[in-house]
Structure formats: C-alpha cells, structure tokens
Coordinates of all heavy atoms in Angstrom, one line a residue:
M1 N 118.2 82.7 104.6 CA 118.6 83.3 103.3 C 119.9 84.2 103.4 O 119.9 85.0 104.5 CB 117.5 84.0 102.7 CG 116.3 83.2 102.4 SD 115.9 83.3 100.6 CE 114.3 82.4 100.6
P2 N 120.7 84.3 102.4 CA 121.8 85.3 102.5 C 121.2 86.6 102.5 O 120.1 87.0 101.9 CB 122.7 84.9 101.3 CG 122.1 83.7 100.8 CD 120.7 83.4 101.3
A3 N 122.0 87.6 103.2 CA 121.5 89.0 103.2 C 121.3 89.6 101.9 O 120.3 90.4 101.7 CB 122.6 89.8 104.0
W4 N 122.0 89.3 100.9 CA 122.0 89.9 99.6 C 120.7 89.4 98.9 O 120.1 90.1 98.0 CB 123.2 89.7 98.6 CG 123.6 88.3 98.5 CD1 124.5 87.6 99.3 CD2 123.3 87.4 97.4 NE1 124.7 86.3 98.8 CE2 124.0 86.1 97.6 CE3 122.4 87.5 96.4 CZ2 123.8 84.9 96.9 CZ3 122.3 86.3 95.5 CH2 122.9 85.1 95.8
V5 N 120.2 88.3 99.3 CA 118.9 87.7 98.7 C 117.8 88.4 99.4 O 116.8 88.9 98.8 CB 118.8 86.1 98.8 CG1 117.4 85.7 98.4 CG2 119.9 85.6 98.0
V6 N 117.9 88.6 100.8 CA 116.8 89.4 101.6 C 116.7 90.8 101.0 O 115.7 91.3 100.7 CB 117.1 89.2 102.9 CG1 116.1 90.2 103.8 CG2 117.2 87.8 103.5
D7 N 117.9 91.4 100.8 CA 118.0 92.8 100.2 C 117.3 92.8 98.9 O 116.5 93.8 98.6 CB 119.4 93.3 99.9 CG 120.1 93.6 101.4 OD1 119.2 93.7 102.4 OD2 121.2 93.9 101.4
Y8 N 117.5 91.8 97.9 CA 116.7 91.8 96.6 C 115.3 91.8 96.8 O 114.6 92.5 96.1 CB 117.2 90.6 95.9 CG 116.4 90.4 94.7 CD1 116.7 91.2 93.5 CD2 115.4 89.5 94.5 CE1 115.9 91.1 92.3 CE2 114.6 89.3 93.6 CZ 114.8 90.1 92.3 OH 114.1 90.0 91.3
V9 N 114.8 90.8 97.7 CA 113.4 90.8 98.0 C 112.8 92.1 98.4 O 111.7 92.7 97.9 CB 113.0 89.6 99.0 CG1 111.5 89.6 99.3 CG2 113.4 88.3 98.4
I10 N 113.4 92.8 99.4 CA 113.0 94.1 99.9 C 113.0 95.1 98.8 O 112.0 95.8 98.6 CB 113.8 94.5 101.1 CG1 113.5 93.5 102.3 CG2 113.5 95.9 101.5 CD1 114.6 93.6 103.4
M11 N 114.1 95.1 98.0 CA 114.2 96.2 96.9 C 113.2 95.8 95.8 O 112.5 96.7 95.4 CB 115.7 95.9 96.3 CG 116.0 96.8 95.2 SD 115.5 96.2 93.5 CE 116.3 94.6 93.5
H12 N 112.9 94.6 95.6 CA 111.8 94.1 94.7 C 110.5 94.8 95.0 O 109.8 95.3 94.2 CB 111.8 92.6 94.6 CG 110.9 92.0 93.6 ND1 111.2 91.2 92.4 CD2 109.5 92.1 93.5 CE1 110.1 90.9 91.8 NE2 109.1 91.4 92.4
E13 N 110.1 94.6 96.3 CA 108.9 95.0 96.8 C 108.8 96.6 96.7 O 107.8 97.2 96.5 CB 108.6 94.6 98.2 CG 108.4 93.1 98.3 CD 107.5 92.4 97.2 OE1 106.5 93.1 96.9 OE2 107.7 91.4 96.8
L14 N 110.1 97.2 97.0 CA 110.0 98.7 97.0 C 109.8 99.2 95.6 O 109.1 100.1 95.4 CB 111.3 99.3 97.6 CG 111.5 99.1 99.0 CD1 112.9 99.5 99.6 CD2 110.5 99.9 99.9
V15 N 110.4 98.5 94.7 CA 110.2 98.9 93.2 C 108.7 98.8 92.9 O 108.1 99.7 92.1 CB 111.1 98.1 92.2 CG1 110.8 98.4 90.8 CG2 112.5 98.5 92.6
H16 N 108.0 97.8 93.4 CA 106.6 97.7 93.2 C 105.8 98.8 93.7 O 104.6 99.1 93.2 CB 106.0 96.4 93.9 CG 106.1 95.2 92.9 ND1 105.7 95.2 91.6 CD2 106.6 94.0 93.2 CE1 106.0 93.9 91.1 NE2 106.5 93.2 92.0
L17 N 106.2 99.6 94.6 CA 105.7 100.9 95.0 C 105.6 101.9 93.9 O 104.7 102.7 93.8 CB 106.3 101.4 96.3 CG 106.2 100.6 97.5 CD1 107.0 101.3 98.6 CD2 104.8 100.4 98.0
L18 N 106.8 101.8 93.0 CA 106.8 102.7 91.9 C 106.0 102.2 90.7 O 105.5 102.9 89.9 CB 108.2 103.0 91.6 CG 109.1 103.6 92.6 CD1 110.7 103.6 92.3 CD2 108.7 105.1 93.0
V19 N 106.4 100.8 90.4 CA 105.8 100.2 89.3 C 105.1 98.9 89.8 O 105.7 97.9 90.0 CB 107.0 99.8 88.2 CG1 106.4 99.3 87.0 CG2 107.9 101.0 88.0
P20 N 103.7 98.9 89.7 CA 103.0 97.7 90.2 C 103.2 96.4 89.4 O 103.1 95.4 90.0 CB 101.5 98.1 90.1 CG 101.6 99.6 90.0 CD 102.8 100.0 89.3
S21 N 103.4 96.5 88.1 CA 103.5 95.3 87.3 C 104.9 94.9 87.0 O 105.8 95.7 87.3 CB 102.8 95.6 85.9 OG 103.4 96.6 85.3
H22 N 105.1 93.7 86.4 CA 106.4 93.3 86.0 C 106.7 93.6 84.6 O 107.1 92.8 83.7 CB 106.5 91.7 86.2 CG 106.6 91.3 87.7 ND1 106.1 90.2 88.2 CD2 107.1 91.9 88.8 CE1 106.4 90.0 89.5 NE2 106.9 91.1 89.9
G23 N 106.6 94.8 84.3 CA 106.9 95.3 82.9 C 108.4 95.7 82.7 O 109.2 95.6 83.7
P24 N 108.7 96.1 81.5 CA 110.1 96.5 81.2 C 110.6 97.6 82.2 O 111.8 97.5 82.6 CB 110.0 97.1 79.7 CG 108.8 96.6 79.2 CD 107.9 96.3 80.4
R25 N 109.8 98.6 82.6 CA 110.3 99.6 83.5 C 110.5 99.1 84.8 O 111.5 99.5 85.5 CB 109.2 100.6 83.6 CG 109.6 102.0 84.3 CD 108.6 103.1 84.1 NE 108.0 103.6 85.4 CZ 108.8 104.4 86.1 NH1 110.1 104.8 85.7 NH2 108.4 104.8 87.3
F26 N 109.7 98.1 85.2 CA 109.9 97.4 86.5 C 111.3 96.7 86.5 O 112.2 97.0 87.4 CB 108.9 96.4 86.9 CG 109.2 95.6 88.0 CD1 108.8 96.1 89.3 CD2 109.8 94.4 88.0 CE1 109.0 95.4 90.5 CE2 110.1 93.7 89.2 CZ 109.6 94.1 90.4
W27 N 111.7 96.0 85.5 CA 113.0 95.1 85.4 C 114.1 96.0 85.3 O 115.2 95.8 85.8 CB 112.8 94.0 84.4 CG 111.9 93.0 84.7 CD1 110.7 92.6 84.1 CD2 111.8 92.1 86.0 NE1 110.0 91.6 84.8 CE2 110.7 91.3 85.9 CE3 112.8 92.0 87.1 CZ2 110.5 90.3 86.8 CZ3 112.4 91.1 88.0 CH2 111.3 90.2 87.9
A28 N 113.9 97.2 84.6 CA 115.1 98.1 84.3 C 115.5 98.7 85.7 O 116.6 98.8 86.0 CB 114.6 99.3 83.4
L29 N 114.6 99.0 86.6 CA 114.9 99.4 87.9 C 115.4 98.3 88.8 O 116.4 98.6 89.5 CB 113.6 100.0 88.7 CG 113.1 101.4 88.1 CD1 111.7 101.7 88.7 CD2 114.1 102.5 88.3
V30 N 114.9 97.2 88.7 CA 115.3 95.9 89.5 C 116.8 95.7 89.1 O 117.7 95.4 89.9 CB 114.5 94.8 89.3 CG1 115.1 93.5 89.9 CG2 113.1 94.9 90.1
E31 N 117.1 95.7 87.9 CA 118.5 95.4 87.3 C 119.5 96.4 87.9 O 120.8 96.1 87.7 CB 118.6 95.3 85.9 CG 117.7 94.1 85.2 CD 118.2 92.8 85.9 OE1 119.4 92.6 86.0 OE2 117.3 91.9 86.1
R32 N 119.2 97.4 88.4 CA 120.1 98.4 89.0 C 120.8 97.9 90.3 O 121.8 98.4 90.7 CB 119.5 99.8 89.2 CG 119.1 100.4 87.9 CD 118.3 101.7 88.1 NE 119.2 102.7 88.6 CZ 118.9 104.0 88.8 NH1 117.6 104.4 88.6 NH2 119.7 104.8 89.4
Y33 N 120.1 96.8 90.9 CA 120.7 96.1 92.0 C 121.7 95.1 91.4 O 121.4 94.3 90.6 CB 119.6 95.4 92.8 CG 120.1 94.7 94.0 CD1 120.6 95.2 95.2 CD2 120.0 93.3 94.0 CE1 121.0 94.6 96.2 CE2 120.5 92.5 95.2 CZ 121.1 93.3 96.2 OH 121.4 92.5 97.3
P34 N 123.0 95.2 91.8 CA 124.1 94.4 91.1 C 123.8 93.0 91.2 O 124.2 92.2 90.2 CB 125.4 94.8 91.9 CG 125.1 96.1 92.5 CD 123.5 96.2 92.9
K35 N 123.2 92.4 92.3 CA 123.1 90.9 92.4 C 121.7 90.5 92.0 O 121.3 89.3 92.4 CB 123.5 90.5 93.8 CG 125.0 90.6 94.1 CD 125.3 89.9 95.4 CE 126.7 89.9 95.5 NZ 127.2 90.7 96.8
A36 N 121.0 91.3 91.3 CA 119.5 90.9 91.0 C 119.5 89.6 90.2 O 118.6 88.7 90.7 CB 118.9 92.1 90.1
E37 N 120.2 89.4 89.2 CA 120.3 88.2 88.5 C 120.5 87.0 89.2 O 119.9 85.9 89.3 CB 121.3 88.3 87.2 CG 121.2 87.1 86.3 CD 119.9 87.1 85.5 OE1 119.5 88.1 85.0 OE2 119.4 85.9 85.4
R38 N 121.6 87.1 90.1 CA 122.0 86.0 91.0 C 120.9 85.7 92.1 O 120.6 84.5 92.3 CB 123.3 86.4 91.8 CG 124.5 86.0 91.1 CD 125.7 86.1 91.9 NE 125.8 85.2 93.0 CZ 126.7 85.3 94.0 NH1 127.4 86.4 94.3 NH2 126.8 84.4 94.9
A39 N 120.3 86.7 92.6 CA 119.3 86.6 93.6 C 118.0 85.9 93.0 O 117.4 85.0 93.6 CB 118.9 87.9 94.2
R40 N 117.6 86.3 91.7 CA 116.5 85.6 91.2 C 116.7 84.1 91.0 O 115.9 83.4 91.2 CB 116.2 86.2 89.8 CG 115.3 87.5 90.0 CD 114.4 87.7 88.6 NE 115.3 87.9 87.5 CZ 115.8 88.9 87.1 NH1 115.7 90.0 87.8 NH2 116.6 88.9 86.0
G41 N 118.0 83.7 90.5 CA 118.4 82.3 90.4 C 118.3 81.6 91.7 O 117.8 80.5 91.9
F42 N 118.8 82.3 92.8 CA 118.8 81.7 94.1 C 117.4 81.4 94.5 O 117.0 80.3 95.1 CB 119.5 82.7 95.1 CG 119.6 82.1 96.5 CD1 120.8 81.5 96.9 CD2 118.6 82.1 97.4 CE1 120.9 81.0 98.2 CE2 118.6 81.6 98.7 CZ 119.9 81.1 99.1
L43 N 116.4 82.4 94.4 CA 115.1 82.3 94.8 C 114.3 81.2 94.0 O 113.5 80.4 94.5 CB 114.3 83.5 94.8 CG 114.9 84.6 95.7 CD1 114.3 86.0 95.4 CD2 114.4 84.3 97.2
E44 N 114.8 81.2 92.7 CA 114.1 80.1 91.8 C 114.4 78.7 92.4 O 113.6 77.9 92.5 CB 114.5 80.2 90.4 CG 113.6 79.8 89.3 CD 114.1 80.3 87.9 OE1 113.9 81.5 87.7 OE2 114.7 79.5 87.2
G45 N 115.7 78.5 92.7 CA 116.1 77.2 93.1 C 115.5 77.0 94.5 O 115.2 75.8 94.7
F46 N 115.5 78.0 95.4 CA 115.0 77.7 96.7 C 113.6 77.3 96.6 O 113.1 76.4 97.3 CB 115.1 79.1 97.5 CG 114.6 79.0 98.9 CD1 115.5 78.6 99.9 CD2 113.4 79.3 99.2 CE1 115.1 78.4 101.2 CE2 113.0 79.2 100.6 CZ 113.8 78.8 101.5
S47 N 112.7 78.0 95.8 CA 111.3 77.7 95.8 C 111.0 76.3 95.1 O 110.1 75.5 95.4 CB 110.5 78.8 95.1 OG 110.7 78.9 93.8
M48 N 111.9 76.0 94.1 CA 111.8 74.6 93.4 C 112.1 73.6 94.5 O 111.4 72.6 94.6 CB 112.8 74.5 92.3 CG 112.4 75.2 91.1 SD 111.0 74.4 90.2 CE 111.9 73.1 89.4
A49 N 113.2 73.7 95.3 CA 113.5 72.8 96.4 C 112.4 72.7 97.4 O 112.1 71.6 97.9 CB 114.9 73.1 97.0
A50 N 111.8 73.9 97.8 CA 110.8 73.9 98.9 C 109.4 73.4 98.4 O 108.7 72.7 99.2 CB 110.6 75.2 99.4
S51 N 109.1 73.7 97.2 CA 107.6 73.3 96.9 C 107.5 72.5 95.5 O 106.4 72.0 95.1 CB 106.8 74.5 96.7 OG 107.3 75.3 95.5
G52 N 108.6 72.4 94.9 CA 108.7 71.6 93.6 C 108.1 72.5 92.3 O 108.1 71.9 91.3
T53 N 107.8 73.7 92.6 CA 107.3 74.6 91.5 C 108.0 75.8 91.5 O 108.4 76.4 92.6 CB 105.9 74.8 91.5 OG1 105.4 75.3 92.7 CG2 105.1 73.5 91.3
P54 N 108.4 76.4 90.3 CA 109.0 77.8 90.4 C 107.9 78.8 90.8 O 106.8 78.5 90.5 CB 109.4 78.0 88.9 CG 108.7 77.1 88.1 CD 108.2 75.9 89.0
E55 N 108.3 79.8 91.5 CA 107.3 80.8 91.9 C 107.5 82.2 91.4 O 108.6 82.6 91.3 CB 107.3 80.8 93.5 CG 106.0 80.4 94.1 CD 106.1 80.2 95.6 OE1 106.4 81.1 96.3 OE2 106.0 79.0 96.0
E56 N 106.4 82.9 91.0 CA 106.5 84.3 90.6 C 105.9 85.1 91.7 O 104.9 84.7 92.2 CB 105.5 84.4 89.3 CG 106.3 84.0 88.0 CD 107.2 85.0 87.7 OE1 106.8 86.3 87.5 OE2 108.4 84.8 87.2
C57 N 106.6 86.3 91.9 CA 106.2 87.2 92.9 C 105.1 88.2 92.3 O 105.3 88.6 91.2 CB 107.2 88.0 93.6 SG 106.7 89.5 94.3
Ligands
ZN101 ZN1 107.2 91.3 91.9

C-alpha cells in the first residue's frame, strides 16, 4: 500500500481513540487529513478487488 494510505489507516485508528463511532465528529476529524477522501477510495477499490465486497472499518 502507498505510504499515504497506510498513514490514513493509522490516523483513522488514532481518531477512534477520541471518537469510538463513525459519527459526524469522527469524520470531521478524519477530513483534516488532506488525502482522506482519496485514501478511502483507494481502500474501497482495494477491498473490492481482494474480497469482492466493500469493507467498513
Ligand atoms: Zn473506523
């Protein structure tokens, strides 16, 4: 995986330490990472290719 996608996953998990659920406050913090939108698209495509289903963390 590209470093910016790995960084997104780590950042996503760190935000979960502050906000456990995927609510508006969670996404507001995640969107502060500049490539958040691109990374989500990358991971969606990756999990579709790997397992045939989109995955939610
Ligand atoms: Zn999550």
Side-chain angles (χ1 to χ4, degrees):
M1 293 243 188
W4 55 272
V5 175
V6 175
D7 285 350
Y8 169 81
V9 173
I10 293 167
M11 180 276 301
H12 182 120
E13 297 309 323
L14 288 174
V15 174
H16 272 313
L17 296 176
L18 299 171
V19 187
S21 65
H22 288 150
R25 190 169 126 72
F26 175 86
W27 292 117
L29 288 169
V30 165
E31 290 304 322
R32 293 175 71 176
Y33 180 67
K35 290 190 171 111
E37 185 66 45
R38 270 185 76 192
R40 275 207 306 279
F42 185 99
L43 289 166
E44 207 169 282
F46 185 85
S47 68
M48 282 291 280
S51 70
T53 55
E55 243 167 62
E56 275 281 313
C57 159

